[in-house]
């Protein structure tokens, strides 16, 4: 990260913090359509790359969107994921599972033109059926764009802190 | 548990629920199923250069697969012969040697012990390094797919695949380029017995319409008619199911190869451009398979969906847990963009966050864990769908079922699982080579059906 970056002002930091809280509230209450419509830009790239365990001396480049990824979605693909959850035939979510998000360490940088680079940490707690409980932590690198009086995300890179996912799936928004 | 006829009943087409739960069965599987079978290790495309390596599992054994300077592949147990420490902790890379973290013993690309720190001063010339190389397993390849085997008496890989090669050639060779795998694999833990996903992939076309109803609605296309099992469909005209000598099997849905892919233009064009050559090389029966969608398992624990092009290994971790590794299969000679889109689509459907994958994981876990109950476990599971609507076929090798929705390949998988579990060694298995398919009683199903059609 460049030291010359311009931290966004306090008012913007606060607004982004509130934006993330609202986003989490939509996810926790199953309002996926509202999230997609109001908080996601149509030019979104929603990406969770796969990082191998490699030796420090290994000079191969980091993954790009042309490589294997757990998420590598555009808007239409995110829309399909949302749509699936409203079909009434996703048996694994009936009865519904519980999910709780904790977003912290938010750092917003002003990149001009009403756009911001935002870094955050996310802890996700899932609880399903009677006893299934999983916890994931992720680093999140966003590019947000100001729209009207809010923000829309147009790049989201999710850095999962695990080589082997200790969960049966990662089908949740983050 | 060995010799217990109740684990798999090939007459009634049922299995004991103990096969998903019992620790003794699992320990016997490690010895007699995984210890004797050829297990998928990798594909040449994953380690293309000499010195390239990947680390993987053969059941619960950690293994290093290494590309040798002469172009061949070797595999050895990822454990130091000194005090047993794991030798290599990276997923993949390129290495001239592997150095154990514990005392610094150095193993060459071929697994031989090449250097021991302070050797002359501390071992006084008494260390026989030639005897202390890492423990090797057999390695053989078929059409670029690399397998390992821990049993010196097992048949060759090609004999182990047997008549299933006839089917695999259709896609692993295809028009000429064949298939390769794209990694790195996604990895996830699933709390289920390893056979639940294997049997699901080998022959469960039945669950597609119901388990995946939600995802199929979104995808649309050819398979949308299956969603919710609502459509009236002539299932006997839509595909077939196959099982072979060593339990390898698959189901095929006709003309549906790329059906799960939303962005499919490149892949569909590739198939359209190459099917003529497949017809010329392999004939109409295999051209039919080439443009169909396969749900397939290679015995014991490697599965793939051709068409969707997800490729899975179910590494067992005890009777109630597996580590799922997910690669993507792509045509080796397709253009880069087509490969990349196939990879994205395969991951979106059957990756760790896949729209269909998440439906399956739920079922596989609960089908395992209900058997914790004593009354529950003292019961049986049924695989009788389509019994009698199957048999030897004049063209297709093995046993062929009349519809992709049937349990022919389920039955074939468990038939061989039981045979290998009961057999004292591979010689005893080979003794059954001419009679293995006698449990499929209707010998005239296909001749009668084909005669009637003429």
């Amino acid at each position: 990260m460049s030291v010359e970056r311009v931290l966004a002002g306090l008012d913007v930091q606060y607004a982004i913090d509130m934006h993330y809280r609202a986003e989490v509230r939509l996810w926790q209450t199953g309002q996926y359509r509202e999230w997609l419509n109001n908080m996601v830009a149509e030019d979104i790239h929603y990406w969770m790359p796969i990082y191998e365990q490699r030796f420090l001396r290994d000079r191969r480049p980091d993954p790009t969107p042309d490589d294997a990824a757990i998420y590598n979605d555009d808007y239409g693909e995110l829309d399909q994921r949302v749509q699936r959850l409203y079909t009434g035939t996703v048996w694994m979510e009936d009865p519904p599972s519980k999910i709780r998000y904790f977003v912290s360490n938010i750092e917003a940088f002003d990149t001009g033109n009403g756009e911001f680079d935002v870094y955050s940490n996310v802890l996700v707690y899932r609880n399903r059926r009677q006893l299934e409980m999983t916890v994931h932590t992720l680093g999140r690198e966003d590019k947000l764009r100001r729209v009207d009086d809010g923000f829309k995300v147009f790049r989201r890179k999710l850095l999962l802190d695990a080589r082997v996912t200790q969960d049966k799936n990662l089908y949740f928004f983050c | 548990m060995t010799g217990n006829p109740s684990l798999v009943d090939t007459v009634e087409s049922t299995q004991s629920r103990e096969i998903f739960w019992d620790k003794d069965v699992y320990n016997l599987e490690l010895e007699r199923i995984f210890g004797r079978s050829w297990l998928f290790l990798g594909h040449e495309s994953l380690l293309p250069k000499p010195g390239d390596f990947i680390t993987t599992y053969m059941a619960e054994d950690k293994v290093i697969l290494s590309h040798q300077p002469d172009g061949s592949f070797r595999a050895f147990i990822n454990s130091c012969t000194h005090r047993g420490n794991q030798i290599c902790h990276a997923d993949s890379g390129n290495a001239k040697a592997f150095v154990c973290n514990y005392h610094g013993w150095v193993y060459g690309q071929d697994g031989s012990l090449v250097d021991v720190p302070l050797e002359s001063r501390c071992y006084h010339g008494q260390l026989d390094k030639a005897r202390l190389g890492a423990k090797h397993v057999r390695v053989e390849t078929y059409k670029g797919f690399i397998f390992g085997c821990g049993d010196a008496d097992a048949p060759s890989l090609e004999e182990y695949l047997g008549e299933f090669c006839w089917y695999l050639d259709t896609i692993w060779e295809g028009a000429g380029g064949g298939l390769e795998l794209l990694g790195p694999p996604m990895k996830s833990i699933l709390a289920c017995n390893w056979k639940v996903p294997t049997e699901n992939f080998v022959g469960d076309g039945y669950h597609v319409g119901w388990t995946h109803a939600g995802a199929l609605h979104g995808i649309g296309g050819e398979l949308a008619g299956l969603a919710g099992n609502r459509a009236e469909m002539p299932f006997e005209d839509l595909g077939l199911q196959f099982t072979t000598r060593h339990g390898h099997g698959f189901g095929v849905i006709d003309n549906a190869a790329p059906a799960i892919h939303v962005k499919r233009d490149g892949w569909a064009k590739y198939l359209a451009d190459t099917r003529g050559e497949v017809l010329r090389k392999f004939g109409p029966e295999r051209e039919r398979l080439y443009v169909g969608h396969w749900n397939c398992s290679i015995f014991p624990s490697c599965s793939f969906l051709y068409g969707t092009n997800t490729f899975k290994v179910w590494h067992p971790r005890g009777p109630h847990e597996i580590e799922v590794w997910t690669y993507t299969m792509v045509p080796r000679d397709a253009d880069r963009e087509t490969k990349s889109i196939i990879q994205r689509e395969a991951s979106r459907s059957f990756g760790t966050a896949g729209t269909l994958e998440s439906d399956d994981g739920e079922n596989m876990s609960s089908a395992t864990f209900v058997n914790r109950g004593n009354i529950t476990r003292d019961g049986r599971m049924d695989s009788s769908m389509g019994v009698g609507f199957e048999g030897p076929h004049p063209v297709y090798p093995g046993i062929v079922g009349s519809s992709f929705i049937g349990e022919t390949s389920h039955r074939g998988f468990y038939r061989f699982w039981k045979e290998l579990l009961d057999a004292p060694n591979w010689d005893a298995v080979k003794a059954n080579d001419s009679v293995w398919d006698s449990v499929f009683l209707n010998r005239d199903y296909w001749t009668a059906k084909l005669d009637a059609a003429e």
Side-chain angles (χ1 to χ4, degrees), chain A residues 82-109:
Chain A
V82 167
Q83 193 187 319
R84 172 178 171 273
L85 295 170
Y86 288 92
T87 57
T89 53
V90 178
W91 317 127
M92 61 173 283
E93 286 300 330
D94 188 10
S97 59
K98 302 278 193 297
I99 192 162
R100 197 69 64 190
Y101 296 79
F102 303 85
V103 180
S104 72
N105 298 66
I106 301 167
E107 261 185 304
F109 296 88

Side-chain angles (χ1 to χ4, degrees), chain A residues 21-123:
Chain A
R21 291 179 194 213
E23 183 174 50
V24 159
R25 187 158 38 76
L26 291 179
W27 289 332
Q28 289 178 174
T29 52
Q31 299 180 74
Y32 311 112
R33 179 59 64 194
E34 289 75 7
W35 168 68
L36 191 69
N37 288 347
N38 300 323
M39 294 190 157
V40 181
E42 292 195 2
D43 58 342
I44 180 75
H45 180 229
Y46 185 94
W47 185 36
M48 186 189 289
I50 299 169
Y51 284 88
E52 277 195 293
Q53 295 275 337
R54 292 178 181 171
F55 288 126
L56 292 172
R57 65 171 185 267
D58 195 323
R59 300 254 174 81
R60 286 177 290 171
D62 279 344
T64 74
D66 286 331
D67 295 313
I70 294 170
Y71 281 89
N72 204 353
D73 285 9
D74 61 21
Y75 190 88
E77 291 163 342
L78 275 181
D79 184 64
Q80 283 163 30
R81 290 187 190 273
V82 167
Q83 193 187 319
R84 172 178 171 273
L85 295 170
Y86 288 92
T87 57
T89 53
V90 178
W91 317 127
M92 61 173 283
E93 286 300 330
D94 188 10
S97 59
K98 302 278 193 297
I99 192 162
R100 197 69 64 190
Y101 296 79
F102 303 85
V103 180
S104 72
N105 298 66
I106 301 167
E107 261 185 304
F109 296 88
D110 192 332
T111 56
N113 301 319
E115 295 182 356
F116 303 91
D117 284 353
V118 190
Y119 299 83
S120 57
N121 292 347
V122 187
L123 186 147

